[in-house]
Amino acid sequence: MNFILIFNKLGRGHFGTVRTAKIRASCDKKFAVKTIDKERAKHPTYASEQEWEILKRIDHPNIIRFYETYEDDKFCHIITDYCTGGDLLDRVISKGSINEQECSLIMEKLFGAVKYLHEHGIMHRDIKPENCLFSDESETAEIKLIDFGLSSKFVPGQKFHTAVGTMSYVAPEVLKGSYDYRCDYWSLGVMMYVLLSGAPPFGGKSNEEIYSKILKGKLSFEGKEWEKISPKAKDLIQKLLESDPSKRYTAMMALEHPWIKDTIHPTVDRKDTIQVLNNLRKFTAKKRFSREILNVIVNLTNEEEIRRLREVFQYLDTDKCGAISIKDLEKATRECGFSFTTQELENMRSALQGMPHDCINYTEFIIGAMDRNLCTKAKLWTAFKHFSCENKEYITSENLAKALMRSRGNISLKDIELMIAEADTKNIGKITFEEFCKMIFQDLGLGEVMSPGVRPVEMN
């Protein structure tokens, strides 16, 4: 996308500065831009390429959404969601306290996010309240895990030896110099303790004192702040703050703990679920280029416009794996009075997926579930500008390859040529805005096709 930076600094991570940005062709949505100095990123604990490679693989409602990257000689710029609700620690401080019901809802989402990461071979290594942002300032805002600057890909059995993380949240095995992905579960336990009590479980006046207490692992629930906390909450904290990683509770086990399972969840409107299932059933887009366009439309859609869809997704995701299975669909359709056969559900799944795999992932779900009136001509024009890069009149193979490289990485020339051919009705190797709109409208089964020469006014 063609961005304009807004030079108000949002914060600073381990290896970069975060600012806001908007798209030249649209003022409706802001994005966050993490700018990484390539010289500073040569530090042995950080590999900038690994951060955006990790972000490209993640597709979960409670993890920051990645859009694309830009590079020059000195800097790398990573474009992600812009969350306006502040971090988890700030919200707790501003409210004065957080009750167990609120804490349980937040922790459930973070357990689900970490479960998703580990199932995809990614460990975060710096989980703390400051790395959990709210999407907006509302009471119903979504929580997002951010900052993958210290994250790493891993394989089962792999051990790591470089001590990274934040002082109060680091696991004892990290301090000992031999650890694996289970260090994230310890950090979640520390965070839960902090949210409920307002203080870390292993405090001290110096790093040495804190680390000494972490290594000893002696946990205390003394003090007035713990008198009102339930035994179930304390039990889960103890199981997460187990010094022996082999005995420590995992995110999956935490999701099955009574403190999480007994949480009263906000209800999901049955009408919303029925509408979403109807939209999924009617989804017809088969062309690869249409899916890329719809992915950009989702990126341009604000949090309020997809809030209802996200809530239905989370309701359907019964095992909190960050994806919807045929079993989840079957259960939801049955509850809503639909009588789909297994084959019909399989057909629905395959229609929603760009590439065959076991479940429907989050973005596939949102693309299929969103109302088609979100595909406005203004958003289509912005999407066209995204793929045409600086070219105002048409999209060429070179334009399309450049745009997809920023968001997806390597893509074959054959795939590019096939996508161009899907919309290139004149067979001249380039796509006009009118052809662009005609293809997506027809592929979605919509009757309206933009008249030649008609386009939204471009914003400077």
Side-chain angles (χ1 to χ4, degrees):
M1 297 181 192
N2 209 350
F3 289 95
I4 301 173
L5 285 178
I6 305 170
F7 291 98
N8 56 314
K9 191 183 295 184
L10 297 175
R12 178 176 289 277
H14 288 283
F15 300 99
T17 300
V18 183
R19 295 170 289 173
T20 55
K22 62 182 180 180
I23 303 170
R24 288 182 186 276
S26 172
C27 292
D28 293 339
K29 184 174 179 178
K30 291 181 181 178
F31 299 81
V33 182
K34 183 175 181 179
T35 299
I36 300 163
D37 186 318
K38 289 183 175 181
E39 280 298 315
R40 292 186 63 209
K42 291 178 181 178
H43 192 280
T45 62
Y46 179 73
S48 59
E49 289 186 13
Q50 178 157 284
E51 181 175 8
W52 68 69
E53 284 301 324
I54 284 173
L55 288 169
K56 284 177 187 176
R57 294 170 56 189
I58 297 171
D59 188 13
H60 191 281
N62 297 113
I63 301 175
I64 199 73
R65 182 173 174 81
F66 164 82
Y67 297 104
E68 51 192 24
T69 58
Y70 294 82
E71 281 192 78
D72 53 40
D73 292 339
K74 293 185 178 181
F75 300 100
C76 171
H77 310 279
I78 301 176
I79 315 296
T80 65
D81 281 327
Y82 172 42
C83 298
T84 61
D87 68 48
L88 180 53
L89 186 61
D90 285 341
R91 181 164 291 205
V92 172
I93 291 171
S94 66
K95 292 183 71 171
S97 64
I98 182 170
N99 62 45
E100 284 194 50
Q101 167 72 10
E102 293 173 297
C103 185
S104 183
L105 288 170
I106 290 169
M107 292 304 303
E108 180 184 40
K109 292 182 176 184
L110 294 174
F111 286 135
V114 173
K115 175 177 179 284
Y116 171 91
L117 288 175
H118 291 175
E119 287 174 350
H120 287 76
I122 300 165
M123 60 177 179
H124 190 279
R125 298 202 296 184
D126 196 22
I127 295 172
K128 56 184 177 180
E130 296 93 322
N131 280 341
C132 300
L133 297 184
F134 287 97
S135 57
D136 56 57
E137 296 179 355
S138 70
E139 287 295 319
T140 57
E142 193 55 277
I143 191 82
K144 308 268 188 179
L145 184 61
I146 68 162
D147 199 346
F148 286 75
L150 296 178
S151 300
S152 180
K153 291 179 279 188
F154 70 88
V155 295
Q158 183 178 4
K159 290 291 185 179
F160 292 78
H161 306 286
T162 303
V164 297
T166 299
M167 182 172 60
S168 296
Y169 295 85
V170 71
E173 65 269 24
V174 175
L175 299 178
K176 293 175 183 177
S178 181
Y179 63 96
D180 59 20
Y181 65 93
R182 291 172 293 188
C183 64
D184 283 345
Y185 305 142
W186 175 280
S187 300
L188 286 166
V190 175
M191 189 160 72
M192 183 176 162
Y193 188 104
V194 170
L195 293 180
L196 291 174
S197 70
F202 309 107
K205 296 180 180 179
S206 66
N207 288 354
E208 290 75 16
E209 184 181 353
I210 293 170
Y211 288 165
S212 175
K213 289 183 178 180
I214 290 171
L215 290 171
K216 290 176 182 176
K218 187 176 180 181
L219 191 61
S220 171
F221 294 114
E222 295 178 359
K224 290 184 178 180
E225 65 273 13
W226 287 105
E227 292 175 1
K228 59 182 179 180
I229 303 301
S230 70
K232 289 179 182 178
K234 295 174 184 176
D235 180 69
L236 179 53
I237 291 173
Q238 285 179 318
K239 287 179 166 62
L240 290 165
L241 295 181
E242 164 60 57
S243 294
D244 183 348
S246 67
K247 297 178 182 178
R248 188 177 301 154
Y249 250 41
T250 66
M252 184 182 297
M253 294 166 74
L255 287 166
E256 293 298 318
H257 191 277
W259 188 73
I260 294 291
K261 297 289 283 187
D262 295 346
T263 301
I264 301 171
H265 290 79
T267 57
V268 176
D269 194 320
R270 186 171 181 270
K271 291 181 180 179
D272 287 342
T273 306
I274 291 173
Q275 181 62 55
V276 163
L277 290 172
N278 272 321
N279 287 349
L280 294 175
R281 181 178 60 175
K282 295 175 183 177
F283 185 73
T284 58
K286 295 181 175 63
K287 294 180 178 179
R288 169 76 183 275
F289 196 14
S290 294
R291 291 176 177 276
E292 296 294 347
I293 294 168
L294 291 171
N295 189 66
V296 174
I297 297 295
V298 170
N299 293 347
L300 295 171
T301 303
N302 63 47
E303 177 68 19
E304 190 54 43
E305 288 175 312
I306 65 168
R307 185 189 302 275
R308 175 175 57 89
L309 309 183
R310 170 178 45 78
E311 290 172 350
V312 173
F313 177 88
Q314 291 169 324
Y315 167 72
L316 297 180
D317 180 16
T318 54
D319 61 358
K320 306 305 174 188
C321 67
I324 306 299
S325 66
I326 287 292
K327 184 179 178 182
D328 293 329
L329 276 179
E330 186 176 25
K331 179 176 180 289
T333 54
R334 187 172 59 249
E335 289 175 350
C336 291
F338 295 104
S339 55
F340 293 164
T341 65
T342 301
Q343 187 58 53
E344 286 173 323
L345 292 172
E346 286 284 358
N347 292 342
M348 184 189 296
R349 180 181 71 173
S350 62
L352 291 166
Q353 292 173 339
M355 297 292 287
H357 48 91
D358 292 338
C359 298
I360 301 165
N361 68 34
Y362 181 55
T363 299
E364 290 169 342
F365 178 89
I366 297 299
I367 286 173
M370 69 180 178
D371 295 332
R372 295 298 165 244
N373 59 14
L374 291 177
C375 293
T376 62
K377 291 175 183 176
K379 284 181 179 174
L380 285 171
W381 176 240
T382 303
F384 180 81
K385 293 286 292 178
H386 168 76
F387 291 112
S388 65
C389 301
E390 295 299 326
N391 196 328
K392 293 187 178 181
E393 300 302 323
Y394 42 76
I395 300 169
T396 66
S397 296
E398 292 77 13
N399 296 150
L400 185 56
K402 184 178 179 180
L404 292 177
M405 278 291 292
R406 295 197 308 259
S407 58
R408 301 207 182 279
N410 292 329
I411 186 164
S412 72
L413 179 60
K414 182 180 178 180
D415 285 339
I416 294 293
E417 291 174 345
L418 286 172
M419 281 189 273
I420 291 290
E422 287 175 337
D424 180 18
T425 57
K426 297 176 182 177
N427 197 29
I428 58 175
K430 54 188 180 183
I431 303 167
T432 65
F433 182 54
E434 290 70 38
E435 290 173 321
F436 182 85
C437 293
K438 182 178 181 180
M439 181 198 68
I440 189 68
F441 279 132
Q442 288 180 342
D443 209 17
L444 290 175
L446 301 175
E448 181 182 3
V449 178
M450 184 165 287
S451 301
V454 178
R455 65 183 60 176
V457 176
E458 183 176 1
M459 297 178 181
N460 293 320

